[in-house]
Amino acid sequence: MVKNRTSAFALLIALTAFIVSAAVGAEFYVDAQNGDDNNTGAAWGDAFSTIGNAMASCTGSSSDVIHVAAATYHESINFKSNTVLLGGYPAGGGARHPEIHQTIIDGSGHQSILAFVAAENCTVDGFTLQNGSASSGGAIYC
């Protein structure tokens, strides 16, 4: 009887781990100073240099997380669903402190900075948005 309970418990844990891992997406890293858009973005040492390339790597169907190192990024980001964008990491990686490691997305005065067109369940935290300009949603377009 104990063996059957142990086996059932082990199976339950395995199924739970599978379900949780299926719901959790990939993690990507962006570092303007040390990254390269030819990298995979899978770690700080292999980081992308732009947020847009990291977003393009997201699936939109799982909870992908993009970690962004402090710098000024001159980009317009078109979000995919189920994406978490976190700024405030030091260049090269390390502990996240948005107050210390200022991460800026600059729209360069001619575009919306963050666009959420048919994107849902998204999170943005640890960024300063500046110089966005558009007829609708200069900083954030939903």
Side-chain angles (χ1 to χ4, degrees), residues 1-17:
M1 182 89 167
V2 171
K3 184 177 180 182
N4 287 340
R5 283 186 182 170
T6 303
S7 296
F9 183 69
L11 178 61
L12 179 62
I13 289 174
L15 287 173
T16 302

Side-chain angles (χ1 to χ4, degrees), residues 6 12 39 47 53 63 65 68 72 82 86-87 92 94 108 111:
T6 303
L12 179 62
N39 291 341
N53 270 357
S63 296
V65 179
V68 184
T72 298
N82 305 306
L86 300 174
S108 301
Q111 56 198 351

Side-chain angles (χ1 to χ4, degrees), residues 37 49-56 66 72-80 85 104-117 124 127-134 136-142:
D37 280 341
S49 60
T50 63
I51 300 167
N53 270 357
M55 188 64 69
I66 301 172
T72 298
Y73 297 86
H74 296 274
E75 304 185 51
S76 176
I77 313 300
N78 293 313
F79 263 76
K80 291 185 179 179
L85 184 64
I104 300 166
I105 305 175
D106 189 311
S108 301
H110 57 78
Q111 56 198 351
S112 295
I113 299 169
L114 304 178
F116 299 88
V117 180
V124 178
F127 291 90
T128 298
L129 306 178
Q130 67 185 28
N131 297 321
S133 179
S136 296
I140 297 174
Y141 178 74
C142 294

